[in-house]
Amino acid sequence: MGRYVIRRLIQAIPVLIGATFLIYWLCFSLPGDPVQALAGEKKADPIVAEMIRQKYHLNDPFLLQYWNYITGVFQGNLGESLTGRQVSDMISEAFPFTVNLAIVAFVIEAIIGVLAGVMAALRKGKFLDQLVLISTLFVISIPVFVTGFVLQLVLGVKLKNDYGIEIFSVSFNEEDGLRGYLLPAFVLASTSLAYVARLTRTSLMETMRADYVRTAVAKGLKKRRVIGRHALRNALIPIVTFLGADLGGLMGGAVITEKIFNIHGIGGLLAQAVYQKQGTIIVGVVTLLVMIYLITTLLVDMLYAVLDPRIRYE
Amino acid sequence: MTTVIEKNQKNGRLEVGTPLLEVKDLHVEFHTRDGVAKAVNGVNYSVAAGETLAVLGESGSGKSVTAQTIMGILDMPPGKISQGQILFRGQDMLAMSEEDRRQIRGQKIAMIFQDALSSLNPVMTVGAQLGEMFRVHRGSSKKEAREKAIELMERVRIPAARQRVGDYPHQFSGGMRQRIMIAMALSMEPDLIIADEPTTALDVTVQAQVMDLLAELQAEYNMGLILITHDLGVVADVADKIAVMYAGRIVETAPVHELYANPAHPYTKGLLRSIPRLDQKGQELYAIKGLPPNLLKVPAGCAFNPRCDVATDLCRTEIPKLHQVSDKDGKELTGRRSACHLWKETLHG
């Protein structure tokens, strides 16, 4: 296992370099002028513009720019934005919000999703199953910005104004702590939650037909134990994969949800950087996201071996 | 038959001849999109303590469905028990509450499945799966259960049981896995074991070992054994009596050696002729023509008539009853029945 992890980490280096190179190249090829973008509608002063270009080596050839950047990255320097701020500072300001939001969303989708899926599978064809199937289809079909605004209005505004219940806040506020994250996290989790519920339902129904589940019944075990000890653990293997990949996605920030609830996370930072064509910020953020993806997929693969003893990494 | 009586007298758990399990006029249907498949049509059989009943038949003959119904693990729906009784020690299990049946399952009647690899949970150690029986049914502690599991593994002669108790099913060979299945079935010292093709998935040499082990343990615990198989070779050594099934019905029952010597049903005759024999090397192997019937469209009359060499018009119209069979002098042969209109010609001709 140890050697496997080391090998995976070594493999991650070329992936990381490749990803940064691609993103850097994409940013470089973008039409438009980042320096002009700083000035807005007005024509930028040519002298100031040239100064900025000099300062940030924007006149250098692409490969040289990339070389300077990547050597900086390996020395722990993610560079500076065109407004003179350290990219690493900007990321460390935004990232905690994203991490908190992602964790709350992840917990919501894992717990509610798996529970709904299990209940639906055990009541196959009955009312509860139909309810789960239809409601998840509904959630999957609606874009997140619709879910976000509707829930913001109903739970954040109406609930407070009409019934005086103030559980969910309309806009994110740091002082609210966990409570502040609940509504945005639920919105962010909704689509994945629906997929997790459906996946759990199918997977558990399939496992319930397995021979070893029949054996467990023939052993005279109670239904609870047959499902909990024998079926569920096997059924959860594909769900762990999905959740693992999704955690990587959640950590990458949520542009829409962050915007609706006014959370200054990684998603917003990245979106803004793209508007302003600030290559250093984009590449910095993306490098971080690629690293998170690599680590979460590695963790999922390791969790596999724990869940399924037939899988061994040598 | 004497062997059965001897076995019973030796252990004296049940009176001689008292059936442990009696299946009476069992009918099982499967409701599918294409219609109703009658998988079991009025099956009767019984097993006494210490006795081995072999149920022989091709795929789709209803032998496994009958076993699953006895065990209470039939998938319902699509399966449906439309008629019949299953008496275990005189009590109808089909009329019992689910909780009472669960108490019988595993503890009084245990089952051994065909494919031990898929029938054992891949993510639990064999020790945990064996020990679970003691944890759940006997309330043993984790440590006790583990010791019991090791004991059972030694009982079925798994080498280095203590070292292997923490291994997973995929780490064992096929024969060893089937031994674990047997150990699991034996754990509660049940009265009856149903073995559904226990050796089909194994190599021939391993088959014999597993079968011998099963027969030995059965004699030791004086258990009833229902051995479901399509392999005539497996049956001969261990069974006391045989029930041959075809298209959901029993077509012949007989004490094992009499059936081999002198079958009273053309289907049984065909099965016996289709066993490869060393003394007929070079000759073409006999095969019963045609295929087993589709259970959605069972032929009228005797279900075997389209494949039968001696079928008459009567066979094509009337379903034969399970006749008591008698010898040439008209003396009834105990335990011998045949569901053939022409049983006399088949047996004596």
Side-chain angles (χ1 to χ4, degrees), chain A residues 211 215 219-220 225 230 234, chain B residues 102 118-119 121 129 132 137:
Chain A
D211 286 351
T215 309
K219 281 163 94 173
R225 198 177 171 91
H230 290 268
N234 283 286
Chain B
R102 188 176 69 77
S118 64
S119 299
N121 193 328
Q129 295 187 60
E132 189 176 32
H137 295 303

Side-chain angles (χ1 to χ4, degrees), chain B residues 8 24 30 89 115 132 137 195 199 237 248 295 319 327:
Chain B
N8 282 334
K24 284 186 169 176
F30 285 94
R89 295 181 171 280
D115 182 2
E132 189 176 32
H137 295 303
T199 59
D237 302 324
L295 289 174
I319 299 175
D327 65 11

Side-chain angles (χ1 to χ4, degrees), chain B residues 292-310:
Chain B
N294 177 351
L295 289 174
L296 294 167
K297 290 178 288 197
V298 177
C302 172
F304 186 60
N305 84 68
R307 305 173 71 188
C308 184
D309 294 330
V310 294

Side-chain angles (χ1 to χ4, degrees), chain A residues 209-215 217-223 225 229-231 233-234 237 307-310 312, chain B residues 68 71 73 99 102 105-106 109 111 113 118-124 129 132-133 136-137 168 170 181 184:
Chain A
R209 282 196 298 270
D211 286 351
Y212 53 82
V213 172
R214 192 185 57 185
T215 309
V217 176
K219 281 163 94 173
L221 307 181
K222 286 197 175 121
K223 199 175 176 195
R225 198 177 171 91
R229 287 298 288 269
H230 290 268
R233 208 181 137 192
N234 283 286
I237 295 171
L307 280 176
D308 191 340
R310 285 168 296 184
R312 282 273 164 273
Chain B
Q68 285 176 9
M71 202 63 204
I73 54 169
E99 183 57 24
R102 188 176 69 77
R105 264 203 296 272
I109 305 178
M111 191 153 176
F113 296 97
S118 64
S119 299
L120 290 168
N121 193 328
V123 304
M124 279 172 85
Q129 295 187 60
E132 189 176 32
M133 295 299 278
V136 170
H137 295 303
Y168 291 92
H170 71 273
M181 281 297 307
M184 200 144 78

